[in-house]
Amino acid sequence: GARRRVMGAANALFGEHGFTAVSMQQIANAAQITKATLYHHFRSKEDLFAAVVLEATAQSKDDIAKAIAEGGTPDEQLARAAMHVFARTRSDFGRLMTDVHEQMVPELRNRILSEQAMPWELFREVFEEAELKCGLPTGHTELAISMFIGMVWGQIWMRKIEVSDLPLDETLAATIVNVLFSGLRDTFAPAPSIP
């Protein structure tokens, strides 16, 4: 129906031009409805933008879940998840998330981010499996997840500000996981017992 057309039009326009450059009239025109009908479905441009971002992040979460569900070792699952995040940021999703950070009032930004981006509970399962199968130390799961997410987004950010031009590819994804796993093992390894 009309709401679905609005969401499609808004997603395309926000993704291509960014939040500030797009007007509600442009969205109404693209969805082939009146501006009054548009405001019947969405109170404001911010509400519409939030709906678009939440739909995009739900899709991203599903895609990460699929990447993990493909199986393999925990490190392979995490590298695939990182690759998915890399790919998404090169798409319109990257622009949407930049606008969330730069254009949204803090309350809306926090709501969007808390409901979205990184499926913490999916990563927790993979890291717990890595503790069993890859010799990762136990008791540091939350730290490991936050470091993984930070490393993935850090690499994306380094390209955004043009500090790095290394490709966001399988090699980088695997390197992030290897560095993280090795570092966790070395840092939290049990002290050698003195004979």
Side-chain angles (χ1 to χ4, degrees):
R3 187 184 167 89
R4 189 68 255 139
R5 286 208 315 278
V6 168
M7 290 289 287
N11 188 22
L13 287 166
F14 286 141
E16 189 176 344
H17 303 291
F19 176 78
T20 49
V22 175
S23 71
M24 289 295 264
Q25 187 63 61
Q26 286 172 294
I27 294 166
N29 293 348
Q32 300 175 323
I33 58 169
T34 66
K35 205 159 139 187
T37 303
L38 177 54
Y39 278 107
H40 169 74
H41 290 287
F42 297 96
R43 246 187 7 243
S44 66
K45 186 165 90 163
E46 285 76 13
D47 280 356
L48 175 51
F49 181 75
V52 166
V53 171
L54 289 172
E55 187 173 89
T57 54
Q59 182 60 55
S60 181
K61 219 173 197 175
D62 287 350
D63 292 346
I64 290 174
K66 286 184 192 126
I68 290 172
E70 282 178 40
T73 61
D75 46 325
E76 290 166 343
Q77 290 174 305
L78 290 170
R80 267 200 312 276
M83 278 301 300
H84 163 74
V85 177
F86 289 163
R88 290 285 287 187
T89 58
R90 285 194 294 268
S91 70
D92 291 347
F93 185 73
R95 171 166 324 240
L96 288 179
M97 294 315 295
T98 299
D99 279 345
V100 167
H101 287 285
E102 294 177 358
Q103 308 294 340
M104 297 297 97
V105 296
E107 177 272 321
L108 184 58
R109 178 173 62 235
N110 293 343
R111 194 185 101 214
I112 289 170
L113 295 177
S114 68
E115 290 178 40
Q116 71 91 17
M118 288 292 193
W120 202 267
E121 54 304 333
L122 288 174
F123 291 137
R124 182 176 290 110
E125 288 173 26
V126 179
F127 275 97
E128 286 171 353
E129 194 179 337
E131 291 167 9
L132 295 171
K133 293 185 177 169
C134 305
L136 278 200
T138 56
H140 307 284
T141 313
E142 301 302 305
L143 177 66
I145 297 167
S146 68
M147 285 183 154
F148 172 69
I149 292 170
M151 290 167 82
V152 170
W153 280 101
Q155 290 303 310
I156 291 163
W157 183 246
M158 295 311 279
R159 286 163 202 59
K160 195 180 269 309
I161 60 173
E162 297 177 356
V163 169
S164 174
D165 56 4
L166 284 173
L168 294 171
D169 61 9
E170 281 95 348
T171 304
L172 181 61
T175 300
I176 287 171
V177 178
N178 289 337
V179 167
L180 180 60
F181 279 21
S182 302
L184 288 167
R185 283 190 204 103
D186 288 353
T187 305
F188 298 110
S193 53
I194 293 153

